[in-house]
Amino acid sequence: MSPLDRQILRLALPSIVSNITVPLLGLCDVAIMGHVGGATSIGAIAVGSMIFNTMYWLFGFLRMGSSGLTAQAYGAQRSDEVAVTLWRGLLVGIVSGLAIVALQWPLQLLTFWMMQPTADVAQLCFPYYYICVWGAPAVLGQFALTGWLVGMQNTRVPMLIAIGQNIINISLSLLLVVVLGWGVKGVATGTLVAQWLAFAATLLMAGHHYGDLLRRHRPTLAQLRQGIGRFFRLNLDIFLRTVCLVSVNLYFTSAGAAQGALVLAANTLLMQLFMIYSYMTDGFANAGEALAGRYLGAADRPMLSLTVRRLFAWGMGVALLFTTAYALGGSTLLSLLTSDDAVVSTALTYLPWAVLIPFAGMAAFVWDGIFIGTTRSRGMLAACFWAALAFFTLWFALSPLWGNHALWLALVTYLVVRGLVQTFIWRQ
């Protein structure tokens, strides 16, 4: 194995471990409600989770922008800019989270109007929403911290934090739902407590590892204000790209919900397979963020090109592994997630689409990491725009004939188009 491959794995493996805990948490929540409740409970968790994913994804620039800017400053050995990037990201993240808490009621009206859940699903979503919304400052502050640590070539700390957070979350959910019978409120409470504990722990660990650097280059409030305008200008493309991404994910769930609780539950189970693969591949994308930004900052173009080639080699291997696993064991995994035979039967109808996702999405996920590290945010925006356009065009054209099959075809096409556009942009 080459030194570069070892370096990629050193960064990717901790990211994979931390990333995979996220869909595993989703799997646990779905499995808990699937066995304790039923299709309506699964749907409530899906809609509630999507509401917060929608809001938080819009602030994804806090993580992605911090990662690319920090990696480039790290490669250029500009320690002052490294420190300022973290302080600025934390300020923006915490203030934004407090704004979400303050505006929770109108945001609830807006998101429920956009999602259009059925009445029984919506009734279970209300307590989930009003508990989890109090975690917004911790989540957005964590975004800035995680992106900064990846840019510092440190994926080990985020891994340790993610493992601890999800152990706490899953343990609390099991206690509150299975033992105490809190239902959806138990899942939400476990999530909220784990989010705040993870944020506090990450702050402590960042201070432990980089305290001297951060104290030496602590900016004044005036310096932070001067830099915030530039921070948002640099990340505007990432924000708009995220709007395209969120619109597709939000509409996918909404279109499934409009077809009834059974289809919504089936799509939710299959999306867990998608999420497991995407978070695994994102480990290599995170390595791409760190290494591509570092070599660009150091003006080492040959190493940048070699890094891109090796990242795609690893991405192809992961896609082949997951395609095989889903084709051979997808039905078994679905049965483990719920004991509702009707939900499993419906999900099996659409399982072949989930099998196509690894190869459909591989290029898009790997390119995202490289584009973030090299701060090619305009290319990311262009790719997501054209891909979203393809998604909605196919859905509206084919949904009257193919129903939920059209929805999955549109999603697979969306992933393929993202990768193709980014490949074209990079080669240009």
Side-chain angles (χ1 to χ4, degrees):
M1 185 180 294
S2 70
L4 179 58
D5 283 324
R6 287 196 294 270
Q7 196 171 21
I8 289 173
L9 286 179
R10 180 181 64 82
L11 292 167
L13 290 178
S15 292
I16 288 171
V17 173
S18 58
N19 286 343
I20 204 68
T21 61
V22 178
L24 284 178
L25 172 62
L27 282 171
C28 182
D29 288 345
V30 168
I32 290 172
M33 299 313 299
H35 289 285
V36 175
T40 302
S41 297
I42 294 175
I45 294 296
V47 173
S49 298
M50 182 56 68
I51 287 172
F52 287 102
N53 287 341
T54 300
M55 288 193 291
Y56 294 152
W57 281 339
L58 291 174
F59 291 91
F61 63 85
L62 288 169
R63 199 206 68 77
M64 292 182 284
S66 295
S67 175
L69 292 172
T70 302
Q72 291 183 33
Y74 178 87
Q77 299 182 354
R78 295 177 55 191
S79 58
D80 57 336
E81 186 61 28
V82 165
V84 170
T85 301
L86 175 60
W87 291 115
R88 185 182 299 127
L90 279 175
L91 176 64
V92 175
I94 293 173
V95 170
S96 300
L98 292 173
I100 290 175
V101 172
L103 298 172
Q104 58 183 274
W105 183 68
L107 286 173
Q108 179 264 311
L109 293 178
L110 175 63
T111 53
F112 273 59
W113 173 78
M114 294 174 66
M115 294 290 292
Q116 293 293 311
T118 58
D120 53 346
V121 171
Q123 190 64 33
L124 287 178
C125 279
F126 286 123
Y128 184 93
Y129 173 87
Y130 282 110
I131 292 173
C132 285
V133 72
W134 291 93
V139 172
L140 298 187
Q142 186 80 353
F143 279 8
L145 277 168
T146 300
W148 186 81
L149 288 167
V150 170
M152 293 294 289
Q153 321 294 294
N154 185 340
T155 56
R156 185 178 296 273
V157 169
M159 176 192 70
L160 295 174
I161 295 297
I163 291 173
Q165 177 180 353
N166 286 287
I167 288 175
I168 293 171
N169 198 337
I170 292 171
S171 300
L172 280 176
S173 294
L174 287 170
L175 172 65
L176 297 174
V177 175
V178 178
V179 178
L180 300 181
W182 286 20
V184 172
K185 289 182 180 179
V187 173
T189 302
T191 299
L192 176 65
V193 172
Q195 287 169 345
W196 277 104
L197 289 177
F199 179 53
T202 310
L203 282 173
L204 290 174
M205 295 189 76
H208 173 73
H209 288 285
Y210 306 104
D212 290 342
L213 181 149
L214 295 174
R215 283 189 292 270
R216 284 199 314 270
H217 301 287
R218 184 180 298 168
T220 65
L221 184 59
Q223 289 174 318
L224 288 175
R225 287 174 178 171
Q226 291 171 358
I228 284 178
R230 176 175 175 270
F231 180 82
F232 279 114
R233 285 194 298 273
L234 288 173
N235 289 287
L236 177 61
D237 290 335
I238 297 179
F239 175 81
L240 295 175
R241 172 257 187 189
T242 306
V243 171
C244 294
L245 187 151
V246 166
S247 67
V248 170
N249 284 277
L250 178 64
Y251 195 85
F252 183 90
T253 302
S254 177
Q259 299 176 71
L262 194 60
V263 171
L264 174 61
N267 284 353
T268 300
L269 297 186
L270 293 172
M271 283 300 287
Q272 299 305 313
L273 305 185
F274 175 30
M275 296 302 289
I276 291 174
Y277 166 72
S278 67
Y279 280 109
M280 176 71 76
T281 307
D282 274 350
F284 291 95
N286 289 342
E289 294 177 26
L291 293 174
R294 175 182 178 180
Y295 291 132
L296 181 64
D300 191 341
R301 299 286 177 153
M303 282 301 296
L304 177 59
S305 297
L306 180 59
T307 298
V308 171
R309 293 196 296 272
R310 295 312 304 159
L311 286 169
F312 268 91
W314 284 104
M316 288 290 290
V318 172
L320 178 61
L321 175 65
F322 273 84
T323 298
T324 303
Y326 289 165
L328 298 179
S331 59
T332 301
L333 181 56
L334 292 174
S335 298
L336 292 175
L337 292 177
T338 181
S339 55
D340 191 320
D341 292 337
V343 174
V344 173
S345 177
T346 304
L348 287 174
T349 304
Y350 307 106
L351 178 61
W353 294 110
V355 174
L356 294 177
I357 280 177
F359 275 105
M362 183 275 297
F365 297 144
V366 174
W367 277 130
D368 277 351
I370 296 165
F371 275 49
I372 290 167
T374 56
T375 57
R376 293 195 174 199
S377 55
R378 184 59 54 88
M380 295 174 66
L381 170 59
C384 263
F385 171 79
W386 290 111
L389 183 63
F391 172 87
F392 286 109
T393 299
L394 280 175
W395 165 247
F396 287 115
L398 299 178
S399 59
L401 298 175
W402 289 4
N404 201 49
H405 284 290
L407 187 62
W408 280 97
L409 172 62
L411 180 66
V412 169
T413 303
Y414 159 80
L415 294 171
V416 171
V417 171
R418 271 177 60 189
L420 289 176
V421 173
Q422 286 173 299
T423 300
F424 174 79
I425 291 172
W426 185 265
R427 289 181 174 176
Q428 290 299 309

